[in-house]
């Protein structure tokens, strides 16, 4: 095996692990198609990821090793950069007014937004995130609605076409959108395909789209593209954003708020 092929294999396994951390599980045939490799290659990748302690293989696929314990604890998979995410949550929540109807996307940063809008009145919140619905659903002053769809364990969310169908035809004042990565050329990207239709339907339903993303995601690319920065009106991020990135994002017509 050449050094180049080893590098490609490591990069692909990293993307597969990113996919599993988003979806919880995956089939060999789907991964082979997505990454344009043979099923034998995918099985070898999953065997390596299992040896490294990340996944558990099953017939025809694999699932994330930590997912059962994580769901039982009602915890999210992506809990890195939490100090920045808490600051972003507070800054984004300041954009919410009593009496509004909003969509809260699933994710650790949007969960921080949810935590910071507690105490608002006459709020209607629509979400695909089970943990956010449980956080806000019993609060006085909150009317919470959930989409249907396929349950994604790592993000405690509902996804797929049925979830997307729920948002079609709705109209809300603001959408607080999550992303895995932001690239000036590729736009907003995500580890897997299942959320793309949901996020497009959310965007179509919203008058204003507010992207909540910590600065570590800026300049990165994930697997599947949602669209360009022109989908977004405002980015709420943290002080780690580079000056040149902020200037480029603002040049694309996006207002940048630094928490």
């Amino acid at each position: 095996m050449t050094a180049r092929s080893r590098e490609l294999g490591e990069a692909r396994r990293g993307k597969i692990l990113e996919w599993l951390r988003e979806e919880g599980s995956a089939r060999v045939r789907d991964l082979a198609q997505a990454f344009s490799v043979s099923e034998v290659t995918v099985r070898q990748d999953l065997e390596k990821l299992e040896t490294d302690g990340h996944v558990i293989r099953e017939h025809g696929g694999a699932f994330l090793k930590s997912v059962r314990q994580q769901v039982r604890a009602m915890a999210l998979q992506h809990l890195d950069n939490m100090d920045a995410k808490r600051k972003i949550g507070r800054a984004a929540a300041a954009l919410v007014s009593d009496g509004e109807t909003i969509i809260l996307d699933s994710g650790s940063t949007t969960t921080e937004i949810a935590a910071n809008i507690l105490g608002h009145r006459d709020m209607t919140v629509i979400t695909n995130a089970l943990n956010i619905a449980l956080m806000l659903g019993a609060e006085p002053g909150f009317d919470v609605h959930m989409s249907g769809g396929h349950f994604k364990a790592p993000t405690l969310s509902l996804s797929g076409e049925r979830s997307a169908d729920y948002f079609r035809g709705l109209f809300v004042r603001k959408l607080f959108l999550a992303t895995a990565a932001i690239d000036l050329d590729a736009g907003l990207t995500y580890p897997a395909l299942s959320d793309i239709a949901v996020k497009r339907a959310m965007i179509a339903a919203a008058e204003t789209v507010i992207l909540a993303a910590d600065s570590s995601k800026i300049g990165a690319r994930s697997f599947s593209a949602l669209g360009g920065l022109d989908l977004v009106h405002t980015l709420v991020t943290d002080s780690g954003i580079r000056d040149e990135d902020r200037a480029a994002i603002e040049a694309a017509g996006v207002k940048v708020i630094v928490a």
Side-chain angles (χ1 to χ4, degrees), residues 13 46 48 103 122 135 149 160 183 194 201 238 248 256:
R13 285 189 290 275
L46 294 177
K48 180 67 166 63
I103 295 173
D122 301 319
M135 180 187 295
D183 183 88
S194 62
D238 61 87
V256 177

Side-chain angles (χ1 to χ4, degrees), residues 41 60 68 71 80 110 188 244:
T41 296
R68 288 175 177 166
V71 171
D80 47 346
T110 48
L188 310 181
E244 55 267 39

